[in-house]
Amino acid sequence: MITLLLSTELKNLWREKLIACVVVISCACASIAFFSGFNHSQQQHQVIQQAKIEQAMAIDKAAAGLEKRLSTTKDVKWWQDQYDLRGQAFYLMVNYASKPPLPTSPIATGQSDVLPYFFKMLIKEKQHIVHQYDYQHPLKLMLGQFDLSFVIIYILPLLIIAVCFNALSQERQHGQLRLMLLQGANIKTLINMQILLRAILVVGPFLLISVLLLITQQIGITISQIAAYVLIVISYTIFWLAISVWVISKGNTVANNAAKLMTIWLAFVIVLPAAINTSINQLYPTPSRLHYLDELRHSSDEAKKTAEKTLAAFFQDHPELANQNKPADFALKKIASINAIEKSMVSLDQEFEQAKKTQQIFADSFKFLSPATLAQAQLVSLAGNDLLRHHAFMKNVEQHHNALQVFFSREIAKANENNDFSPCAGCSAHATLKNLNTIPQFSDKFSTEATSLWGILALLIISLGIWLYSQKQIVRIAEPQQAGVLV
Amino acid sequence: MLTLALKKEWVDAKRQGQLTWLLGIAALLLLVACLSSWQSHSRYVADQQAVSQSERARWLNQGDKGPHSAAHYGTYVMKPTSSLALLDAGLQDYQGNVIRLEAHVRNNALFRPIQDTLSVARFGQLSPAFVLQVLLPLFVILVGYGLVATEREQGTLKQLLAMGISPARLFFTKTFMLFTITSVLLIPVALCILVFNTLELRTGLFFGVYLIYVFIWCLLTTAISSLANTARKALIILLSLWAFTSLLLPKLAISYATAVHPVISGQAFQSRIESDVYTQEREQAIAKFKQQTLAHYKVSTTAELPFNWGGAQLQFGEQYADKKFDLLFSERNSQLKSQSNSYQQLGILSPFIALQTLSMGLAATDFTHHLHFSAAAEKQRRLIQETLNFNQRDNANKTTGHYKAGIELWQRIPKFNYQHPTFSSLYQQYIPSFLNLFVWLVGLTLLCAFTLKKLKLEEQR
């Protein structure tokens, strides 16, 4: 019987041009979306590679020109001298901190297009470093990438609705249902088979193409990552199938089903996520960046006004850099001032961190309100473009920033003690940094927790619950049909 | 006829209850969007004014110091927001609203609010623009997909035509009836405009383009409803059109625009600034300028010049760098403008793109206005550098360069008082979008003519 129903359903679907159209759209979306996400992550890769090359070239160039620099008798300005610790620290250093995209990155761009993924490091207030960003058309950022997550979250449910909304209802309206039931068909089997077959036609090609592309194009992607991706797509699909079955089980007309399903899609995918986002911003707004800037300026003024106190406090924290017999060089005073400004901004930085944490807690709790927000969170996390990984990166950047500060403070104090910043016989100033390789380098090896799939499993359980509940409802549709037969 | 049709649809809608809850939900969403937008808008306006004043006071009270120290101390300018941004914040959150003005460097805008948000922010904000641009067409579709198709399915269409009602009258009555119902949602927008804005060209056009947008969707909905055999088919076609023009196409259009006109990365741009500005060539140009100056004053050393050489050299260096900045920034901006133009041109395929471009442009929250602000900020930066460097040149000790200026000099730098450009000065930028809306209207008129022909045939049958 099942084989018969299947072949009839396949024949019916084949006759409907819509199905062929939907399969083509599904394939096209998978390919376009993958390459759109892939190009985005490749661009980031290239920029990071370019930065690494620039950094290596700067080191090599300095090594090659060292002999010439040591023998020069020309007046070399320290701020233009790559062999001067102060020049390197404040102006010339080519030292990048970067966050390379993961092999899963093409799945979901997430916040990776708006958050900085590389920083050019210098010895200056960290507040002036961490707000750098890669320049892109703001409209592109507003509209977002046409990536796999976009297709999964927005387009796949639409395609599922397009192929499923008339399941069973069409047979009912055309009077075929009664005939099928007469021949011994089970209504539950019929609806489940219809829905699953249609879903396979939509999601099957999409999954096949996207997985194939991920495996072939993204070296380093693991089987567990692919499995997680497939699980997320299937769970999200099952939710929409369950919703379709539930709407159909109400026994309304085809047009009514379509209108209801579209309203549900609109509510879950467009309105609820936007409402959650608006609620987060209104209930837990991040402090004003304009006031942050005002405070930063105020702190800089204070640090400069109390330069002596600032330096004393710095030496209290770093007694190893203090020299009783020699006044501190201006560069060391500058680093002390940077340090003081950063310290005074700690509370405000923490306020921002706290606000974001509160927002994240709110978002984590309310993401369950919509399968779209839940699926998006899972996909972005799997792609490594979530805030968790970004925070881990920023923590590393901060550590690197501190390491650079310690390195330059120590070396500048040493050079000052040795009078290396004063002109010598036959030279305007000593070369105080002969090997650029000694400058700390950023390590982009940082790991975050593996993606937790509890959220998506919860979605799967809810979906199956809706499906099972709808099975009970659907039997009622069969009752009048069978009653008619009995009469 | 319109009143009768309205009454009939109202009775139908009351029976089904569909229109009431659709209108209720849409109005509620719009109300929430307006309130939330008003809150964010007033918060930003208050912060921007307070911090701008504080920054000005900081500049004036920086104390006595060398002009070049003041140039490095610099200042920050904040982008003021327009009152129409309350309805369409456009790209405000995606482009920084603060620019640092300092010596030797032309900076990008800082602090993009989007960087301080979670990934859920990419679903969009429930703003009036979002409701009007994305949800309002859906409201039109859900209210109007069955206007003619249901009459056909129920057999009442034939009766109406048989009664002697002309197809054109029926069609346009239905369209205007749909337009009247859905335009109700534009009342809060009109109220916002009246309360928060003065009546000027921008606000008038702003309201006008939204009316046209709603009218386009009403025409399209009634036409499809008249052409489709069943209400179901009409709904599917209309929803597909909505999803394609409002969801898919904008993303594809901007991806296409950025692929065709690529912009160099921030890393490459910064490297180019460093390698193109601070070069050996610059040192040679400064040396040449020195020789020319010495020759002009017929002296052999800078100490013999009638002014401080340091100040003159600094200004020469600034002007040299400015030329390079102009070249590099205009290269990048021209690519970004090309991206905007390509996107705008694709508005011929989507009324959403045309409306979005016009709405952001009229609200002064698009990229064109951002560039205008950036250019004004750069002009201010150059004015500051020139004033400070010339003051150093004219007043500093000719040999040691020692000199401290005070509040009199800081006051000579005028307050940065940015005003949005008038729309008439920028209207050329938006001609493609106006044309696209016009093309949509013409296209729909043709579709209507075809629809009427079909209805007439139905009448004859």
Side-chain angles (χ1 to χ4, degrees):
Chain A
M1 188 65 197
I2 292 176
T3 329
L4 181 70
L5 288 174
L6 257 175
S7 66
T8 318
E9 177 66 9
L10 268 174
K11 272 179 206 162
N12 285 341
L13 290 174
W14 190 248
R15 266 185 228 123
E16 272 198 64
K17 284 172 195 161
L18 184 73
I19 287 293
C21 186
V22 161
V23 172
V24 171
I25 293 173
S26 170
C27 294
C29 280
S31 315
I32 298 171
F34 172 80
F35 283 108
S36 171
F38 178 70
N39 285 343
H40 172 74
S41 71
Q42 281 303 103
Q43 274 168 12
Q44 291 200 342
H45 259 305
Q46 280 165 10
V47 169
I48 291 168
Q49 277 311 107
Q50 203 51 46
K52 282 183 180 167
I53 291 169
E54 194 191 332
Q55 187 169 328
M57 273 171 67
I59 294 171
D60 292 349
K61 200 178 149 197
L66 180 64
E67 211 171 305
K68 195 179 166 195
R69 163 66 181 85
L70 291 175
S71 59
T72 190
T73 52
K74 281 185 191 166
D75 179 25
V76 186
K77 304 271 189 297
W78 68 261
W79 57 88
Q80 293 173 333
D81 184 7
Q82 57 178 326
Y83 303 98
D84 191 299
L85 280 164
R86 300 160 301 177
Q88 277 288 337
F90 304 127
Y91 304 108
L92 304 170
M93 184 164 55
V94 184
N95 190 293
Y96 284 97
S98 54
K99 178 178 72 168
L102 294 182
T104 46
S105 184
I107 292 173
T109 306
Q111 288 286 78
S112 72
D113 52 351
V114 292
L115 293 172
Y117 60 97
F118 70 90
F119 295 110
K120 189 166 189 191
M121 308 301 289
L122 278 178
I123 300 301
K124 56 181 172 183
E125 294 84 357
K126 102 179 170 194
Q127 286 76 11
H128 287 304
I129 294 174
V130 297
H131 294 289
Q132 299 170 16
Y133 58 88
D134 198 6
Y135 209 93
Q136 280 194 57
H137 201 300
L139 188 61
K140 186 169 187 188
L141 302 178
M142 188 174 85
L143 293 166
Q145 289 279 340
F146 187 92
D147 56 10
L148 289 171
S149 72
F150 170 75
V151 176
I152 294 164
I153 290 162
Y154 289 85
I155 310 292
L156 276 190
L158 278 179
L159 295 178
I160 289 170
I161 291 171
V163 295
C164 292
F165 78 101
N166 61 350
L168 207 63
S169 324
Q170 207 177 17
E171 281 76 7
R172 261 182 70 221
Q173 277 179 329
H174 295 170
Q176 292 170 346
L177 183 62
R178 187 176 291 190
L179 286 173
M180 284 176 171
L181 293 178
L182 263 177
Q183 287 173 7
N186 182 314
I187 192 159
K188 284 188 201 170
T189 318
L190 184 65
I191 182 79
N192 290 342
M193 187 212 61
Q194 277 191 338
I195 292 284
L196 285 174
L197 185 67
R198 291 169 190 213
I200 288 168
L201 287 173
V202 173
V203 184
F206 173 83
L207 260 182
L208 190 73
I209 290 175
S210 59
V211 166
L212 269 177
L213 286 170
L214 277 169
I215 292 169
T216 52
Q217 300 289 319
Q218 288 299 90
I219 299 157
I221 199 159
T222 62
I223 292 175
S224 59
Q225 285 168 332
I226 292 285
Y229 168 69
V230 173
L231 180 69
I232 296 168
V233 177
I234 289 179
S235 305
Y236 189 62
T237 304
I238 288 177
F239 174 82
W240 285 103
L241 295 179
I243 288 290
S244 303
V245 176
W246 177 68
V247 169
I248 293 164
S249 74
K250 296 284 167 193
N252 291 317
T253 60
V254 175
N256 199 301
N257 286 352
K260 266 190 188 157
L261 284 168
M262 271 313 296
T263 315
I264 294 170
W265 175 83
L266 190 68
F268 278 143
V269 179
I270 306 276
V271 179
L272 256 174
I276 292 173
N277 181 32
T278 309
S279 311
I280 290 172
N281 290 334
Q282 294 303 324
L283 296 173
Y284 309 104
T286 40
S288 157
R289 278 289 174 198
L290 295 181
H291 284 300
Y292 180 85
L293 171 72
D294 200 35
E295 192 53 42
L296 182 62
R297 291 284 275 173
H298 175 72
S299 302
S300 307
D301 287 350
E302 285 303 305
K304 273 171 199 157
K305 267 186 212 161
T306 54
E308 286 308 312
K309 270 189 195 170
T310 303
L311 191 66
F314 181 69
F315 282 141
Q316 209 167 357
D317 291 345
H318 303 277
E320 75 282 5
L321 303 176
N323 186 334
Q324 299 293 330
N325 307 319
K326 206 167 166 16
D329 180 76
F330 105 92
L332 209 55
K333 285 180 187 165
K334 191 170 171 172
I335 295 177
S337 161
I338 290 169
N339 218 271
I341 294 166
E342 285 179 353
K343 271 190 180 170
S344 68
M345 292 300 288
V346 166
S347 63
L348 209 53
D349 281 329
Q350 279 172 348
E351 253 182 64
F352 270 91
E353 283 307 307
Q354 192 51 47
K356 274 195 180 177
K357 268 185 197 160
T358 316
Q359 286 186 346
Q360 192 62 60
I361 291 168
F362 185 90
D364 285 342
S365 325
F366 284 86
K367 72 181 176 192
F368 292 97
L369 282 181
S370 156
T373 47
L374 187 60
Q376 192 234 22
Q378 295 283 342
L379 287 167
V380 171
S381 166
L382 178 66
N385 291 328
D386 57 338
L387 284 183
L388 199 69
R389 185 161 180 261
H390 188 71
H391 284 155
F393 167 61
M394 292 308 289
K395 212 172 162 188
N396 263 26
V397 171
E398 205 168 321
Q399 281 169 2
H400 182 56
H401 172 72
N402 292 339
L404 286 170
Q405 258 192 24
V406 168
F407 170 81
F408 278 104
S409 310
R410 195 184 58 217
E411 295 301 311
I412 286 170
K414 251 193 243 169
N416 188 41
E417 203 174 313
N418 298 337
N419 275 333
D420 285 345
F421 294 133
S422 312
C424 58
C427 73
S428 59
H430 288 282
T432 46
L433 184 62
K434 291 172 188 161
N435 185 1
L436 266 58
N437 256 326
T438 54
I439 300 174
Q441 314 268 315
F442 181 78
S443 162
D444 57 19
K445 305 273 179 295
F446 55 91
S447 58
T448 48
E449 286 170 38
T451 312
S452 156
L453 293 169
W454 285 114
I456 213 70
L457 287 174
L459 179 69
L460 194 61
I461 292 164
I462 293 167
S463 311
L464 292 174
I466 297 171
W467 202 316
L468 282 175
Y469 171 75
S470 310
Q471 300 288 301
K472 280 183 189 170
Q473 295 275 313
I474 214 130
V475 180
R476 289 187 200 162
I477 296 178
E479 279 165 7
Q481 310 279 340
Q482 283 162 340
V485 172
L486 287 173
V487 168
Chain B
M1 180 72 185
L2 181 65
T3 332
L4 265 177
L6 263 172
K7 263 187 190 167
K8 190 252 172 194
E9 294 302 331
W10 184 249
V11 170
D12 269 1
K14 256 175 83 178
R15 255 186 232 136
Q16 292 175 8
Q18 202 171 318
L19 181 66
T20 330
W21 64 259
L22 271 177
L23 200 62
I25 289 173
L28 183 72
L29 286 176
L30 193 59
L31 183 74
V32 171
C34 283
L35 284 174
S36 126
S37 182
W38 173 72
Q39 203 179 353
S40 314
H41 181 80
S42 26
R43 207 185 294 150
Y44 179 79
V45 170
D47 287 350
Q48 187 262 334
Q49 284 170 354
V51 178
S52 291
Q53 274 173 14
S54 159
E55 193 55 24
R56 178 67 183 168
R58 190 169 282 127
W59 171 259
L60 293 176
N61 301 317
Q62 59 180 304
D64 293 350
K65 58 172 74 156
H68 194 59
S69 294
H72 276 289
Y73 180 68
T75 187
Y76 287 84
V77 289
M78 275 127 253
K79 195 197 293 179
T81 184
S82 77
S83 44
L84 277 177
L86 175 72
L87 293 170
D88 189 353
L91 303 176
Q92 265 185 176
D93 286 357
Y94 301 84
Q95 48 199 7
N97 298 319
V98 181
I99 298 184
R100 174 164 165 74
L101 312 181
E102 60 179 322
H104 316 313
V105 191
R106 179 174 175 176
N107 292 303
N108 285 322
L110 280 168
F111 301 132
R112 300 180 303 173
I114 188 70
Q115 278 180 239
D116 283 325
T117 58
L118 311 175
S119 9
V120 73
R122 305 316 284 277
F123 279 101
Q125 181 91 2
L126 202 58
S127 67
F130 175 78
V131 175
L132 297 174
Q133 293 169 10
V134 181
L135 303 184
L136 188 56
L138 265 179
F139 177 65
V140 174
I141 293 170
L142 293 177
V143 173
Y145 76 94
L147 274 182
V148 183
T150 313
E151 302 259 19
R152 183 179 286 120
E153 276 184 309
Q154 292 169 350
T156 46
L157 181 66
K158 271 184 188 168
Q159 285 174 11
L160 281 170
L161 296 173
M163 278 162 67
I165 296 170
S166 79
R169 204 167 170 204
L170 180 79
F171 180 85
F172 287 112
T173 308
K174 294 257 182 197
T175 307
F176 281 109
M177 193 268 308
L178 183 60
F179 183 62
T180 315
I181 294 173
T182 47
S183 297
V184 168
L185 289 174
L186 289 178
I187 293 175
V189 180
L191 285 176
C192 274
I193 288 175
L194 287 173
V195 173
F196 296 103
N197 295 279
T198 49
L199 284 172
E200 53 168 42
L201 180 68
R202 274 180 189 271
T203 43
L205 281 173
F206 188 85
F207 192 67
V209 291
Y210 274 97
L211 271 180
I212 294 173
Y213 184 64
V214 176
F215 187 64
I216 284 174
W217 276 105
C218 289
L219 264 185
L220 188 67
T221 305
T222 326
I224 300 291
S225 179
S226 308
L227 290 170
N229 298 330
T230 59
R232 174 197 150 206
K233 214 174 214 173
L235 182 65
I236 291 174
I237 294 172
L238 284 164
L239 288 176
S240 309
L241 276 172
W242 172 82
F244 181 71
T245 57
S246 308
L247 272 184
L248 269 175
L249 205 68
K251 272 182 198 280
L252 290 172
I254 195 68
S255 296
Y256 165 78
T258 49
V260 174
H261 307 285
V263 174
I264 62 166
S265 72
Q267 181 267 338
F269 188 74
Q270 203 50 42
S271 299
R272 268 197 74 187
I273 285 185
E274 279 154 26
S275 61
D276 286 13
V277 179
Y278 303 103
T279 54
Q280 201 58 36
E281 201 182 274
R282 179 177 177 268
E283 295 302 312
Q284 285 166 1
I286 291 174
K288 195 178 166 192
F289 172 63
K290 187 175 167 183
Q291 290 310 316
Q292 282 171 348
T293 313
L294 293 176
H296 179 76
Y297 287 94
K298 296 185 176 93
V299 290
S300 51
T301 63
T302 52
E304 294 169 69
L305 287 168
F307 50 79
N308 172 263
W309 164 245
Q313 187 192 326
L314 279 169
Q315 184 53 26
F316 179 82
E318 283 294 332
Q319 283 168 349
Y320 182 89
D322 289 347
K323 276 183 205 159
K324 299 283 178 187
F325 289 145
D326 284 343
L327 197 74
L328 289 168
F329 276 81
S330 69
E331 250 178 48
R332 187 175 73 176
N333 289 344
S334 111
Q335 284 298 91
L336 289 164
K337 276 183 197 166
S338 302
Q339 291 182 355
S340 296
N341 292 340
S342 290
Y343 178 76
Q344 199 182 168
Q345 279 156 12
L346 286 165
I348 196 142
L349 298 174
S350 156
F352 170 85
I353 292 178
L355 172 83
Q356 187 200 42
T357 308
L358 290 172
S359 173
M360 290 193 302
L362 290 160
T365 53
D366 65 346
F367 188 61
T368 305
H369 285 80
H370 180 70
L371 285 183
H372 188 269
F373 168 74
S374 304
E378 179 59 11
K379 202 174 160 191
Q380 175 81 353
R381 187 187 78 83
R382 290 180 188 185
L383 175 75
I384 295 173
Q385 301 315 312
E386 193 182 76
T387 312
L388 297 177
N389 289 335
F390 284 162
N391 188 271
Q392 162 98 13
R393 183 193 66 182
D394 299 339
N395 299 295
N397 185 297
K398 286 167 202 165
T399 334
T400 60
H402 287 163
Y403 165 60
K404 276 188 177 178
I407 191 163
E408 294 79 22
L409 177 60
W410 319 142
Q411 276 171 339
R412 276 174 52 196
I413 308 290
K415 190 181 170 189
F416 182 68
N417 191 16
Y418 177 74
Q419 298 292 325
H420 292 294
T422 57
F423 192 72
S424 49
S425 64
L426 290 175
Y427 78 94
Q428 286 108 322
Q429 311 264 351
Y430 304 100
I431 286 177
S433 289
F434 279 116
L435 279 176
N436 286 337
L437 277 187
F438 180 71
V439 168
W440 268 89
L441 279 176
V442 172
L444 284 171
T445 312
L446 294 174
L447 183 69
C448 290
F450 176 72
T451 310
L452 291 178
K453 215 171 155 184
K454 206 194 154 201
L455 283 177
K456 266 181 195 162
L457 282 174
E458 214 161 310
E459 183 189 16
Q460 282 160 13
R461 252 185 254 141

